């Protein structure tokens, strides 16, 4: 992933040096397991542990130099380790296949990446929760089909976001459990050359779960679940970003992204304040969905394995995790600093002269004994007068003889009380956040 969309903490998990360190850890843990089973000498393990050392950028460059000849990355790595360790290195990789190293180390990387993503989710959820309580009773126009529907509160909108984020977090946590597996079962997964106890030792030492059964590779439905969970979180962030973009439109302007000192919105028009952060999140979410599809394409491999998945994962592994990590922290900062305009929300609520209270009038007429369809006609015809003639909705109602047979003027006015639409927010917040205040 390009530096523009990368945070160093996540990007560092995918560096060449980090990859080789994990390969080293898998190989050494496997040798420990072999020694415990009497399959390799203790002095070889001691020698490898003493000489394997750390990996630097120079070491990574040397391994890549070897790979230009071997055309095989794991063999290049093992050749480098043999150069460094000496004769004892012949006990490394004994009875193993390349995918034992690759898939087990990939499980480590994906597991650690989820841990960072969960931290990002926690920051986002905390920001959304704080702003939700801040605007729990801030009335705002609710819209369906982009058209004014009934009043909601801005806090209610954010509570819905929080609930969706919680589901996304749960999916990520489950994906972590699914992907944090390893295998040291050999060329086609039969343990023909090493017993399962070696695999169990490696996984226990590295904090993974042994794959109950594997071919030459860990089965890729696990990875597909992982990248789908990432794409779903990205889709949610896009949903929230699109809403902010709509709210920031000039004609609406109920909320907007932060606009910092010195920021410029347009090279041509100095007045512009564009929703660039939200638009960026929308674009990046599209990439995540593509990565999820690519991961699903990787599930079907030939027989016990082929390497058609390998090139895909070299791209989507770092790109998907780095991107979502970036998106989470970008969105968290956006929410933390988002500007909200309650007065503009009130202006928009009043834009149609109260017709958005039509359902309350409909229900009240039905409660008082008027047939529902007849009540619908009464309310609708007065609402349409506002649209077509510019007649004040409340005044039109008070001049409607059919309506006044069922309701007093005071009861009509009560249907325009704004507190009606906030009265259940305590119950909603209790369900979403486990507290009302």
């Amino acid at each position: 992933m390009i530096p523009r969309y990368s945070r160093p903490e996540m990007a560092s998990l995918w560096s060449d040096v980090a990859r080789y360190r994990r390969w080293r850890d898998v190989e050494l843990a496997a040798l420990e397991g072999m020694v415990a089973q009497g399959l390799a000498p203790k002095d070889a393990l001691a020698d490898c542990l003493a000489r394997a050392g750390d990996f630097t950028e120079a070491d990574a460059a040397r391994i890549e130099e070897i790979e230009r000849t071997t055309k095989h990355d794991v063999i290049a790595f093992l050749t480098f380790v043999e150069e460094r360790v000496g004769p004892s290195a012949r006990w490394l990789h004994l009875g193993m296949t390349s995918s034992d190293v690759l898939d087990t180390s990939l499980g480590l990387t994906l597991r650690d990446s989820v841990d960072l993503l969960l931290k990002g989710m926690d920051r986002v959820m905390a920001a959304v929760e704080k702003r939700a309580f801040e605007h729990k009773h801030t009335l705002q126009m609710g819209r369906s089909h982009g058209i004014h529907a009934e009043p909601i509160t801005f806090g209610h909108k954010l509570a819905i976001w929080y609930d969706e984020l919680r589901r996304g977090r749960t999916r990520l946590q489950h994906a972590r459990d699914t992907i944090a597996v390893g295998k040291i079962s050999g060329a086609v997964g039969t343990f023909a050359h090493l017993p399962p106890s070696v695999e169990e030792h490696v996984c226990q030492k590295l904090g993974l779960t042994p794959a109950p059964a594997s071919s030459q590779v860990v089965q890729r439905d696990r990875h597909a679940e992982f990248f789908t969970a990432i794409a779903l979180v990205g889709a949610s962030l896009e949903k929230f970003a699109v809403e902010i973009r709509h709210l920031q439109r000039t004609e609406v302007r109920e909320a907007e992204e932060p606009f910092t000192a010195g920021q410029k919105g347009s090279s041509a028009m100095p007045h512009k304040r564009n929703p660039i952060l939200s638009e960026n999140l929308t674009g990046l979410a599209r990439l995540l969905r593509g990565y999820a599809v690519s991961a699903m394409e990787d599930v079907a491999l030939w027989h016990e394995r082929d390497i058609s998945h390998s090139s895909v994962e070299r791209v989507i592994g770092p790109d998907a995790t780095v991107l979502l990590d970036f998106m989470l922290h970008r969105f968290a900062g956006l929410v933390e600093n988002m500007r909200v305009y309650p007065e503009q929300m009130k202006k928009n609520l009043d834009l149609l002269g109260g017709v958005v209270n039509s359902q309350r009038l409909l229900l009240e007429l039905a409660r008082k004994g008027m047939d529902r369809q007849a009540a619908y006609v009464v309310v609708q015809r007065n609402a349409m007068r506002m649209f077509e003639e510019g007649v004040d909705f409340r005044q039109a109602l008070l001049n409607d003889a059919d309506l006044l047979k069922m309701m007093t003027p005071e009861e009509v006015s009560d249907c325009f009380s704004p507190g009606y639409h906030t009265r259940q927010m305590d119950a909603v917040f209790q369900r979403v956040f486990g507290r009302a205040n």
Side-chain angles (χ1 to χ4, degrees), residues 139 229-230 382:
L139 277 172
I230 283 180
N382 288 290

Side-chain angles (χ1 to χ4, degrees), residues 148-200:
H148 285 204
E150 289 191 353
I152 60 171
T153 76
F154 190 55
H156 184 208
K157 186 187 294 288
L158 296 178
I160 294 170
W161 293 6
Y162 183 92
D163 190 42
E164 185 166 340
L165 286 164
R166 179 164 49 202
R167 291 193 298 276
R169 193 187 193 285
T170 299
R171 292 188 194 103
L172 280 178
Q173 183 63 60
H174 189 274
R176 182 192 190 279
D177 297 337
T178 299
I179 204 66
V181 298
K183 62 134 335 213
I184 308 291
S185 52
V188 288
T190 60
F191 297 103
H193 308 291
L194 287 175
S197 57
V198 173
E199 179 182 86
E200 292 164 3

Side-chain angles (χ1 to χ4, degrees), residues 96-109:
M96 295 168 59
T97 189
S98 297
S99 290
D100 289 335
V101 179
L102 295 172
D103 281 6
T104 303
S105 63
L106 180 60
L108 292 171
T109 306

Side-chain angles (χ1 to χ4, degrees), residues 26 139 143 205 235 266 274 368 390:
V26 172
L139 277 172
R143 299 168 173 91
K205 182 177 181 65
S266 166
N274 300 326
K368 288 181 174 293

